Amino acid sequence: MSQYFYNTLIILSLALWCLGFSYVPEKISLHERKQLTFSYGVFQPGNNWATSSHEVNRELPSTVYGTQIKVRYESYDLDFIDYRIGVDIQGIADKDLLFSAVSLAFDLTNDLYNKKKHRIISVGTFAYSPRTVIIADDEQLEGISYKYGLSFEWVYAIFKTWSMKTMIGYNYQKLGEYDSTYFFDPSYMTIRGIEAGVGLNYVF
């Protein structure tokens, strides 16, 4: 066989060898792997809550804060956007007016900053609660609620499989489809205000 054939064979072999290495997955950062996130925080239900609470408590209440637990599964399956799915558990304990909701939540996230161990993210949230409970003066009312939110998170990687985060944002939650009593109707209520929290991420 001619020298030209041998040269061509060697060049093709080298090309195929290089092509094989080009398909080796690039090393990804800690923040770009699937993870479970857990967070605990507080939120301000807003002036509308104080007005509604006055109907039950018969006096203007002091500033009331709600508490919430968020659990999310975060995925990086899509190239153009990242998303989370999970659950929000919320509660507000006023004098004679109690609120609780378990919501199915969906987040869309976008990296504003991602370098080494630090990450700043914007998070848009939509959540739906098929069973939102209001206890007004010992009477339990059940309905649904929708929640929209926008928040910003700072995440810091502390280990290979763990990172910590802080969050601040704004949420708007509309209550609806309640059987009202003669003095109280939660269907007209909205819960809106600032929220803040801290949490941990478990990274796969």
Side-chain angles (χ1 to χ4, degrees):
M1 294 183 182
S2 66
Q3 187 65 35
Y4 175 78
F5 175 80
Y6 284 115
N7 291 340
T8 304
L9 188 61
I10 292 172
I11 292 172
L12 285 175
S13 299
L14 289 172
L16 290 172
W17 184 70
C18 293
L19 184 63
F21 274 97
S22 70
Y23 284 99
V24 175
E26 182 182 355
K27 184 179 179 181
I28 59 176
S29 72
L30 175 67
H31 295 308
E32 294 169 339
R33 289 151 54 187
K34 294 180 176 65
Q35 46 199 292
L36 284 174
T37 71
F38 311 87
S39 62
Y40 175 83
V42 297
F43 63 94
Q44 167 60 259
N47 294 332
N48 184 267
W49 176 270
T51 302
S52 301
S53 179
H54 176 58
E55 298 178 26
V56 179
N57 292 324
R58 307 303 181 188
E59 62 183 18
L60 288 175
S62 58
T63 301
V64 176
Y65 292 95
T67 59
Q68 63 183 355
I69 297 171
K70 295 185 177 185
V71 182
R72 296 287 192 275
Y73 168 74
E74 186 168 5
S75 176
Y76 295 88
D77 293 337
L78 302 178
D79 292 335
F80 60 94
I81 198 164
D82 303 324
Y83 66 92
R84 303 171 183 168
I85 54 175
V87 175
D88 283 0
I89 303 171
Q90 297 175 282
I92 304 173
D94 208 341
K95 182 182 176 184
D96 292 313
L97 183 61
L98 305 178
F99 164 89
S100 64
V102 177
S103 303
L104 305 175
F106 179 75
D107 296 339
L108 291 177
T109 70
N110 182 50
D111 281 347
L112 302 178
Y113 179 83
N114 189 347
K115 189 173 182 181
K116 293 184 179 179
K117 293 187 175 184
H118 299 273
R119 185 181 178 204
I120 299 175
I121 324 165
S122 61
V123 183
T125 300
F126 172 75
Y128 167 71
S129 172
R131 185 174 183 269
T132 302
V133 177
I134 294 273
I135 299 177
D137 199 19
D138 295 328
E139 183 172 6
Q140 181 169 310
L141 307 171
E142 296 183 10
I144 63 173
S145 63
Y146 300 88
K147 183 172 72 169
Y148 307 90
L150 176 64
S151 59
F152 297 91
E153 296 179 356
W154 169 67
V155 182
Y156 178 72
I158 48 180
F159 299 109
K160 276 189 174 182
T161 55
W162 290 97
S163 58
M164 59 172 287
K165 69 178 178 181
T166 59
M167 178 272 290
I168 187 166
Y170 182 87
N171 78 90
Y172 177 94
Q173 189 160 357
K174 181 71 177 69
L175 282 62
E177 297 187 13
Y178 280 84
D179 295 327
S180 61
T181 65
Y182 70 94
F183 72 96
F184 186 71
D185 183 6
S187 300
Y188 295 99
M189 289 182 65
T190 56
I191 295 173
R192 56 181 182 267
I194 300 296
E195 59 180 354
V198 295
L200 285 174
N201 301 342
Y202 175 76
V203 185
F204 292 93

PDB file of all heavy atoms in Angstrom, residues 92-124:
ATOM      1  N   ILE A  92     -50.129  31.077  59.946  1.00  0.00           N
ATOM      2  CA  ILE A  92     -50.189  32.353  60.664  1.00  0.00           C
ATOM      3  C   ILE A  92     -51.028  32.121  61.912  1.00  0.00           C
ATOM      4  O   ILE A  92     -52.146  31.602  61.828  1.00  0.00           O
ATOM      5  CB  ILE A  92     -50.835  33.472  59.823  1.00  0.00           C
ATOM      6  CG1 ILE A  92     -50.096  33.650  58.498  1.00  0.00           C
ATOM      7  CG2 ILE A  92     -50.847  34.794  60.604  1.00  0.00           C
ATOM      8  CD1 ILE A  92     -50.790  34.621  57.549  1.00  0.00           C
ATOM      9  N   ALA A  93     -50.501  32.502  63.079  1.00  0.00           N
ATOM     10  CA  ALA A  93     -51.209  32.330  64.342  1.00  0.00           C
ATOM     11  C   ALA A  93     -51.491  33.698  64.946  1.00  0.00           C
ATOM     12  O   ALA A  93     -50.615  34.321  65.543  1.00  0.00           O
ATOM     13  CB  ALA A  93     -50.390  31.475  65.305  1.00  0.00           C
ATOM     14  N   ASP A  94     -52.725  34.169  64.758  1.00  0.00           N
ATOM     15  CA  ASP A  94     -53.182  35.410  65.378  1.00  0.00           C
ATOM     16  C   ASP A  94     -54.015  35.044  66.614  1.00  0.00           C
ATOM     17  O   ASP A  94     -54.213  33.857  66.902  1.00  0.00           O
ATOM     18  CB  ASP A  94     -54.001  36.219  64.368  1.00  0.00           C
ATOM     19  CG  ASP A  94     -53.949  37.707  64.636  1.00  0.00           C
ATOM     20  OD1 ASP A  94     -53.592  38.080  65.770  1.00  0.00           O
ATOM     21  OD2 ASP A  94     -54.264  38.494  63.733  1.00  0.00           O
ATOM     22  N   LYS A  95     -54.543  36.025  67.299  1.00  0.00           N
ATOM     23  CA  LYS A  95     -55.251  35.771  68.560  1.00  0.00           C
ATOM     24  C   LYS A  95     -56.413  34.798  68.379  1.00  0.00           C
ATOM     25  O   LYS A  95     -56.450  33.738  68.999  1.00  0.00           O
ATOM     26  CB  LYS A  95     -55.736  37.093  69.142  1.00  0.00           C
ATOM     27  CG  LYS A  95     -56.453  36.951  70.478  1.00  0.00           C
ATOM     28  CD  LYS A  95     -56.950  38.295  70.955  1.00  0.00           C
ATOM     29  CE  LYS A  95     -57.747  38.136  72.242  1.00  0.00           C
ATOM     30  NZ  LYS A  95     -58.340  39.430  72.686  1.00  0.00           N
ATOM     31  N   ASP A  96     -57.383  35.125  67.544  1.00  0.00           N
ATOM     32  CA  ASP A  96     -58.535  34.256  67.291  1.00  0.00           C
ATOM     33  C   ASP A  96     -58.689  33.942  65.812  1.00  0.00           C
ATOM     34  O   ASP A  96     -59.774  33.554  65.365  1.00  0.00           O
ATOM     35  CB  ASP A  96     -59.835  34.909  67.796  1.00  0.00           C
ATOM     36  CG  ASP A  96     -59.859  35.013  69.311  1.00  0.00           C
ATOM     37  OD1 ASP A  96     -59.531  34.006  69.972  1.00  0.00           O
ATOM     38  OD2 ASP A  96     -60.171  36.103  69.832  1.00  0.00           O
ATOM     39  N   LEU A  97     -57.629  34.117  65.049  1.00  0.00           N
ATOM     40  CA  LEU A  97     -57.680  33.878  63.612  1.00  0.00           C
ATOM     41  C   LEU A  97     -56.418  33.131  63.189  1.00  0.00           C
ATOM     42  O   LEU A  97     -55.320  33.662  63.295  1.00  0.00           O
ATOM     43  CB  LEU A  97     -57.790  35.214  62.852  1.00  0.00           C
ATOM     44  CG  LEU A  97     -57.925  35.128  61.335  1.00  0.00           C
ATOM     45  CD1 LEU A  97     -59.187  34.383  60.938  1.00  0.00           C
ATOM     46  CD2 LEU A  97     -57.936  36.527  60.720  1.00  0.00           C
ATOM     47  N   LEU A  98     -56.594  31.897  62.738  1.00  0.00           N
ATOM     48  CA  LEU A  98     -55.477  31.057  62.354  1.00  0.00           C
ATOM     49  C   LEU A  98     -55.549  30.744  60.864  1.00  0.00           C
ATOM     50  O   LEU A  98     -56.635  30.564  60.313  1.00  0.00           O
ATOM     51  CB  LEU A  98     -55.480  29.750  63.149  1.00  0.00           C
ATOM     52  CG  LEU A  98     -55.507  29.863  64.672  1.00  0.00           C
ATOM     53  CD1 LEU A  98     -55.567  28.480  65.305  1.00  0.00           C
ATOM     54  CD2 LEU A  98     -54.295  30.626  65.180  1.00  0.00           C
ATOM     55  N   PHE A  99     -54.396  30.660  60.225  1.00  0.00           N
ATOM     56  CA  PHE A  99     -54.311  30.367  58.799  1.00  0.00           C
ATOM     57  C   PHE A  99     -53.298  29.265  58.583  1.00  0.00           C
ATOM     58  O   PHE A  99     -52.220  29.255  59.191  1.00  0.00           O
ATOM     59  CB  PHE A  99     -53.877  31.637  58.047  1.00  0.00           C
ATOM     60  CG  PHE A  99     -53.384  31.390  56.642  1.00  0.00           C
ATOM     61  CD1 PHE A  99     -54.254  31.383  55.569  1.00  0.00           C
ATOM     62  CD2 PHE A  99     -52.037  31.168  56.396  1.00  0.00           C
ATOM     63  CE1 PHE A  99     -53.799  31.158  54.277  1.00  0.00           C
ATOM     64  CE2 PHE A  99     -51.565  30.943  55.102  1.00  0.00           C
ATOM     65  CZ  PHE A  99     -52.460  30.932  54.045  1.00  0.00           C
ATOM     66  N   SER A 100     -53.624  28.300  57.706  1.00  0.00           N
ATOM     67  CA  SER A 100     -52.649  27.277  57.334  1.00  0.00           C
ATOM     68  C   SER A 100     -52.908  26.845  55.905  1.00  0.00           C
ATOM     69  O   SER A 100     -54.058  26.783  55.452  1.00  0.00           O
ATOM     70  CB  SER A 100     -52.724  26.066  58.270  1.00  0.00           C
ATOM     71  OG  SER A 100     -53.978  25.417  58.157  1.00  0.00           O
ATOM     72  N   ALA A 101     -51.829  26.555  55.172  1.00  0.00           N
ATOM     73  CA  ALA A 101     -51.951  26.145  53.773  1.00  0.00           C
ATOM     74  C   ALA A 101     -50.778  25.262  53.404  1.00  0.00           C
ATOM     75  O   ALA A 101     -49.638  25.513  53.815  1.00  0.00           O
ATOM     76  CB  ALA A 101     -52.007  27.363  52.850  1.00  0.00           C
ATOM     77  N   VAL A 102     -51.068  24.220  52.642  1.00  0.00           N
ATOM     78  CA  VAL A 102     -50.036  23.386  52.025  1.00  0.00           C
ATOM     79  C   VAL A 102     -50.206  23.539  50.523  1.00  0.00           C
ATOM     80  O   VAL A 102     -51.264  23.214  49.968  1.00  0.00           O
ATOM     81  CB  VAL A 102     -50.169  21.908  52.436  1.00  0.00           C
ATOM     82  CG1 VAL A 102     -49.121  21.067  51.721  1.00  0.00           C
ATOM     83  CG2 VAL A 102     -50.034  21.756  53.944  1.00  0.00           C
ATOM     84  N   SER A 103     -49.186  24.079  49.856  1.00  0.00           N
ATOM     85  CA  SER A 103     -49.290  24.433  48.443  1.00  0.00           C
ATOM     86  C   SER A 103     -48.326  23.625  47.596  1.00  0.00           C
ATOM     87  O   SER A 103     -47.193  23.339  48.024  1.00  0.00           O
ATOM     88  CB  SER A 103     -48.994  25.934  48.241  1.00  0.00           C
ATOM     89  OG  SER A 103     -49.862  26.727  49.010  1.00  0.00           O
ATOM     90  N   LEU A 104     -48.773  23.268  46.410  1.00  0.00           N
ATOM     91  CA  LEU A 104     -47.891  22.694  45.398  1.00  0.00           C
ATOM     92  C   LEU A 104     -47.236  23.853  44.662  1.00  0.00           C
ATOM     93  O   LEU A 104     -47.935  24.743  44.156  1.00  0.00           O
ATOM     94  CB  LEU A 104     -48.695  21.829  44.426  1.00  0.00           C
ATOM     95  CG  LEU A 104     -49.526  20.712  45.075  1.00  0.00           C
ATOM     96  CD1 LEU A 104     -50.377  20.012  44.024  1.00  0.00           C
ATOM     97  CD2 LEU A 104     -48.629  19.718  45.785  1.00  0.00           C
ATOM     98  N   ALA A 105     -45.913  23.865  44.597  1.00  0.00           N
ATOM     99  CA  ALA A 105     -45.191  25.043  44.115  1.00  0.00           C
ATOM    100  C   ALA A 105     -44.333  24.708  42.903  1.00  0.00           C
ATOM    101  O   ALA A 105     -43.787  23.605  42.782  1.00  0.00           O
ATOM    102  CB  ALA A 105     -44.317  25.625  45.219  1.00  0.00           C
ATOM    103  N   PHE A 106     -44.212  25.699  42.021  1.00  0.00           N
ATOM    104  CA  PHE A 106     -43.356  25.597  40.836  1.00  0.00           C
ATOM    105  C   PHE A 106     -42.550  26.878  40.727  1.00  0.00           C
ATOM    106  O   PHE A 106     -43.105  27.980  40.747  1.00  0.00           O
ATOM    107  CB  PHE A 106     -44.214  25.402  39.585  1.00  0.00           C
ATOM    108  CG  PHE A 106     -43.422  25.320  38.312  1.00  0.00           C
ATOM    109  CD1 PHE A 106     -42.702  24.176  37.990  1.00  0.00           C
ATOM    110  CD2 PHE A 106     -43.375  26.400  37.435  1.00  0.00           C
ATOM    111  CE1 PHE A 106     -41.964  24.101  36.816  1.00  0.00           C
ATOM    112  CE2 PHE A 106     -42.645  26.340  36.265  1.00  0.00           C
ATOM    113  CZ  PHE A 106     -41.938  25.185  35.949  1.00  0.00           C
ATOM    114  N   ASP A 107     -41.227  26.756  40.650  1.00  0.00           N
ATOM    115  CA  ASP A 107     -40.325  27.909  40.549  1.00  0.00           C
ATOM    116  C   ASP A 107     -39.597  27.897  39.208  1.00  0.00           C
ATOM    117  O   ASP A 107     -39.199  26.834  38.725  1.00  0.00           O
ATOM    118  CB  ASP A 107     -39.255  27.876  41.644  1.00  0.00           C
ATOM    119  CG  ASP A 107     -39.820  27.990  43.044  1.00  0.00           C
ATOM    120  OD1 ASP A 107     -40.948  28.481  43.183  1.00  0.00           O
ATOM    121  OD2 ASP A 107     -39.123  27.583  43.990  1.00  0.00           O
ATOM    122  N   LEU A 108     -39.413  29.078  38.658  1.00  0.00           N
ATOM    123  CA  LEU A 108     -38.485  29.277  37.554  1.00  0.00           C
ATOM    124  C   LEU A 108     -37.330  30.105  38.082  1.00  0.00           C
ATOM    125  O   LEU A 108     -37.549  31.148  38.720  1.00  0.00           O
ATOM    126  CB  LEU A 108     -39.168  30.003  36.387  1.00  0.00           C
ATOM    127  CG  LEU A 108     -40.243  29.203  35.634  1.00  0.00           C
ATOM    128  CD1 LEU A 108     -40.892  30.064  34.567  1.00  0.00           C
ATOM    129  CD2 LEU A 108     -39.648  27.945  35.009  1.00  0.00           C
ATOM    130  N   THR A 109     -36.095  29.680  37.839  1.00  0.00           N
ATOM    131  CA  THR A 109     -34.938  30.368  38.405  1.00  0.00           C
ATOM    132  C   THR A 109     -33.976  30.814  37.314  1.00  0.00           C
ATOM    133  O   THR A 109     -33.928  30.231  36.231  1.00  0.00           O
ATOM    134  CB  THR A 109     -34.187  29.450  39.395  1.00  0.00           C
ATOM    135  OG1 THR A 109     -33.537  28.403  38.669  1.00  0.00           O
ATOM    136  CG2 THR A 109     -35.147  28.835  40.411  1.00  0.00           C
ATOM    137  N   ASN A 110     -33.225  31.849  37.651  1.00  0.00           N
ATOM    138  CA  ASN A 110     -32.239  32.361  36.707  1.00  0.00           C
ATOM    139  C   ASN A 110     -31.012  32.849  37.480  1.00  0.00           C
ATOM    140  O   ASN A 110     -31.145  33.566  38.472  1.00  0.00           O
ATOM    141  CB  ASN A 110     -32.832  33.512  35.889  1.00  0.00           C
ATOM    142  CG  ASN A 110     -31.856  34.036  34.862  1.00  0.00           C
ATOM    143  OD1 ASN A 110     -31.262  33.297  34.099  1.00  0.00           O
ATOM    144  ND2 ASN A 110     -31.673  35.354  34.853  1.00  0.00           N
ATOM    145  N   ASP A 111     -29.838  32.441  37.042  1.00  0.00           N
ATOM    146  CA  ASP A 111     -28.597  32.872  37.692  1.00  0.00           C
ATOM    147  C   ASP A 111     -28.279  34.322  37.338  1.00  0.00           C
ATOM    148  O   ASP A 111     -28.138  34.658  36.169  1.00  0.00           O
ATOM    149  CB  ASP A 111     -27.423  31.994  37.254  1.00  0.00           C
ATOM    150  CG  ASP A 111     -27.398  30.660  37.973  1.00  0.00           C
ATOM    151  OD1 ASP A 111     -28.118  30.523  38.970  1.00  0.00           O
ATOM    152  OD2 ASP A 111     -26.672  29.759  37.528  1.00  0.00           O
ATOM    153  N   LEU A 112     -28.159  35.149  38.358  1.00  0.00           N
ATOM    154  CA  LEU A 112     -27.676  36.510  38.164  1.00  0.00           C
ATOM    155  C   LEU A 112     -26.158  36.573  38.342  1.00  0.00           C
ATOM    156  O   LEU A 112     -25.496  37.425  37.774  1.00  0.00           O
ATOM    157  CB  LEU A 112     -28.362  37.455  39.149  1.00  0.00           C
ATOM    158  CG  LEU A 112     -29.889  37.494  39.068  1.00  0.00           C
ATOM    159  CD1 LEU A 112     -30.435  38.439  40.132  1.00  0.00           C
ATOM    160  CD2 LEU A 112     -30.359  37.901  37.685  1.00  0.00           C
ATOM    161  N   TYR A 113     -25.648  35.634  39.156  1.00  0.00           N
ATOM    162  CA  TYR A 113     -24.204  35.554  39.408  1.00  0.00           C
ATOM    163  C   TYR A 113     -23.893  34.113  39.796  1.00  0.00           C
ATOM    164  O   TYR A 113     -24.575  33.533  40.642  1.00  0.00           O
ATOM    165  CB  TYR A 113     -23.807  36.515  40.531  1.00  0.00           C
ATOM    166  CG  TYR A 113     -22.332  36.485  40.880  1.00  0.00           C
ATOM    167  CD1 TYR A 113     -21.416  37.212  40.140  1.00  0.00           C
ATOM    168  CD2 TYR A 113     -21.873  35.716  41.955  1.00  0.00           C
ATOM    169  CE1 TYR A 113     -20.053  37.186  40.470  1.00  0.00           C
ATOM    170  CE2 TYR A 113     -20.527  35.686  42.283  1.00  0.00           C
ATOM    171  CZ  TYR A 113     -19.621  36.420  41.529  1.00  0.00           C
ATOM    172  OH  TYR A 113     -18.284  36.387  41.849  1.00  0.00           O
ATOM    173  N   ASN A 114     -22.885  33.539  39.183  1.00  0.00           N
ATOM    174  CA  ASN A 114     -22.519  32.153  39.482  1.00  0.00           C
ATOM    175  C   ASN A 114     -21.014  31.993  39.287  1.00  0.00           C
ATOM    176  O   ASN A 114     -20.523  31.936  38.170  1.00  0.00           O
ATOM    177  CB  ASN A 114     -23.283  31.188  38.565  1.00  0.00           C
ATOM    178  CG  ASN A 114     -23.100  29.737  38.972  1.00  0.00           C
ATOM    179  OD1 ASN A 114     -22.237  29.404  39.777  1.00  0.00           O
ATOM    180  ND2 ASN A 114     -23.929  28.861  38.418  1.00  0.00           N
ATOM    181  N   LYS A 115     -20.299  31.970  40.399  1.00  0.00           N
ATOM    182  CA  LYS A 115     -18.843  31.877  40.318  1.00  0.00           C
ATOM    183  C   LYS A 115     -18.312  31.148  41.539  1.00  0.00           C
ATOM    184  O   LYS A 115     -18.593  31.546  42.672  1.00  0.00           O
ATOM    185  CB  LYS A 115     -18.211  33.258  40.219  1.00  0.00           C
ATOM    186  CG  LYS A 115     -16.721  33.224  39.909  1.00  0.00           C
ATOM    187  CD  LYS A 115     -16.177  34.623  39.662  1.00  0.00           C
ATOM    188  CE  LYS A 115     -14.695  34.567  39.304  1.00  0.00           C
ATOM    189  NZ  LYS A 115     -14.139  35.927  39.082  1.00  0.00           N
ATOM    190  N   LYS A 116     -17.575  30.084  41.282  1.00  0.00           N
ATOM    191  CA  LYS A 116     -16.950  29.289  42.339  1.00  0.00           C
ATOM    192  C   LYS A 116     -18.002  28.850  43.365  1.00  0.00           C
ATOM    193  O   LYS A 116     -18.923  28.134  43.037  1.00  0.00           O
ATOM    194  CB  LYS A 116     -15.799  30.051  42.977  1.00  0.00           C
ATOM    195  CG  LYS A 116     -14.629  30.270  42.028  1.00  0.00           C
ATOM    196  CD  LYS A 116     -13.466  30.949  42.705  1.00  0.00           C
ATOM    197  CE  LYS A 116     -12.309  31.129  41.735  1.00  0.00           C
ATOM    198  NZ  LYS A 116     -11.159  31.802  42.361  1.00  0.00           N
ATOM    199  N   LYS A 117     -17.890  29.321  44.593  1.00  0.00           N
ATOM    200  CA  LYS A 117     -18.788  28.850  45.649  1.00  0.00           C
ATOM    201  C   LYS A 117     -20.014  29.733  45.847  1.00  0.00           C
ATOM    202  O   LYS A 117     -20.868  29.433  46.687  1.00  0.00           O
ATOM    203  CB  LYS A 117     -18.022  28.748  46.975  1.00  0.00           C
ATOM    204  CG  LYS A 117     -16.954  27.660  46.986  1.00  0.00           C
ATOM    205  CD  LYS A 117     -16.377  27.512  48.380  1.00  0.00           C
ATOM    206  CE  LYS A 117     -15.401  26.344  48.437  1.00  0.00           C
ATOM    207  NZ  LYS A 117     -14.887  26.119  49.814  1.00  0.00           N
ATOM    208  N   HIS A 118     -20.125  30.799  45.091  1.00  0.00           N
ATOM    209  CA  HIS A 118     -21.210  31.746  45.300  1.00  0.00           C
ATOM    210  C   HIS A 118     -22.196  31.726  44.137  1.00  0.00           C
ATOM    211  O   HIS A 118     -21.808  31.541  42.983  1.00  0.00           O
ATOM    212  CB  HIS A 118     -20.665  33.162  45.468  1.00  0.00           C
ATOM    213  CG  HIS A 118     -19.762  33.325  46.643  1.00  0.00           C
ATOM    214  ND1 HIS A 118     -20.218  33.616  47.903  1.00  0.00           N
ATOM    215  CD2 HIS A 118     -18.410  33.207  46.750  1.00  0.00           C
ATOM    216  CE1 HIS A 118     -19.204  33.694  48.735  1.00  0.00           C
ATOM    217  NE2 HIS A 118     -18.091  33.456  48.060  1.00  0.00           N
ATOM    218  N   ARG A 119     -23.454  31.956  44.462  1.00  0.00           N
ATOM    219  CA  ARG A 119     -24.486  32.021  43.438  1.00  0.00           C
ATOM    220  C   ARG A 119     -25.597  32.966  43.897  1.00  0.00           C
ATOM    221  O   ARG A 119     -26.056  32.888  45.043  1.00  0.00           O
ATOM    222  CB  ARG A 119     -25.057  30.616  43.201  1.00  0.00           C
ATOM    223  CG  ARG A 119     -26.066  30.512  42.076  1.00  0.00           C
ATOM    224  CD  ARG A 119     -26.567  29.083  41.965  1.00  0.00           C
ATOM    225  NE  ARG A 119     -27.568  28.947  40.925  1.00  0.00           N
ATOM    226  CZ  ARG A 119     -28.479  27.983  40.894  1.00  0.00           C
ATOM    227  NH1 ARG A 119     -28.524  27.088  41.852  1.00  0.00           N
ATOM    228  NH2 ARG A 119     -29.350  27.916  39.912  1.00  0.00           N
ATOM    229  N   ILE A 120     -25.991  33.886  43.037  1.00  0.00           N
ATOM    230  CA  ILE A 120     -27.138  34.762  43.300  1.00  0.00           C
ATOM    231  C   ILE A 120     -28.200  34.443  42.256  1.00  0.00           C
ATOM    232  O   ILE A 120     -27.924  34.441  41.060  1.00  0.00           O
ATOM    233  CB  ILE A 120     -26.735  36.245  43.249  1.00  0.00           C
ATOM    234  CG1 ILE A 120     -25.681  36.543  44.322  1.00  0.00           C
ATOM    235  CG2 ILE A 120     -27.957  37.137  43.446  1.00  0.00           C
ATOM    236  CD1 ILE A 120     -25.137  37.956  44.275  1.00  0.00           C
ATOM    237  N   ILE A 121     -29.416  34.167  42.719  1.00  0.00           N
ATOM    238  CA  ILE A 121     -30.473  33.670  41.842  1.00  0.00           C
ATOM    239  C   ILE A 121     -31.734  34.508  42.005  1.00  0.00           C
ATOM    240  O   ILE A 121     -32.084  34.912  43.116  1.00  0.00           O
ATOM    241  CB  ILE A 121     -30.852  32.211  42.189  1.00  0.00           C
ATOM    242  CG1 ILE A 121     -29.633  31.412  42.627  1.00  0.00           C
ATOM    243  CG2 ILE A 121     -31.559  31.528  41.046  1.00  0.00           C
ATOM    244  CD1 ILE A 121     -29.989  30.120  43.315  1.00  0.00           C
ATOM    245  N   SER A 122     -32.423  34.753  40.895  1.00  0.00           N
ATOM    246  CA  SER A 122     -33.780  35.287  40.955  1.00  0.00           C
ATOM    247  C   SER A 122     -34.745  34.124  40.797  1.00  0.00           C
ATOM    248  O   SER A 122     -34.521  33.212  39.998  1.00  0.00           O
ATOM    249  CB  SER A 122     -34.005  36.325  39.853  1.00  0.00           C
ATOM    250  OG  SER A 122     -33.842  35.740  38.574  1.00  0.00           O
ATOM    251  N   VAL A 123     -35.821  34.149  41.582  1.00  0.00           N
ATOM    252  CA  VAL A 123     -36.767  33.033  41.620  1.00  0.00           C
ATOM    253  C   VAL A 123     -38.188  33.560  41.457  1.00  0.00           C
ATOM    254  O   VAL A 123     -38.638  34.399  42.246  1.00  0.00           O
ATOM    255  CB  VAL A 123     -36.661  32.246  42.948  1.00  0.00           C
ATOM    256  CG1 VAL A 123     -37.606  31.047  42.934  1.00  0.00           C
ATOM    257  CG2 VAL A 123     -35.234  31.809  43.208  1.00  0.00           C
ATOM    258  N   GLY A 124     -38.887  33.084  40.443  1.00  0.00           N
ATOM    259  CA  GLY A 124     -40.303  33.379  40.274  1.00  0.00           C
ATOM    260  C   GLY A 124     -41.110  32.164  40.684  1.00  0.00           C
ATOM    261  O   GLY A 124     -40.824  31.046  40.265  1.00  0.00           O
TER     262      GLY A 124
END
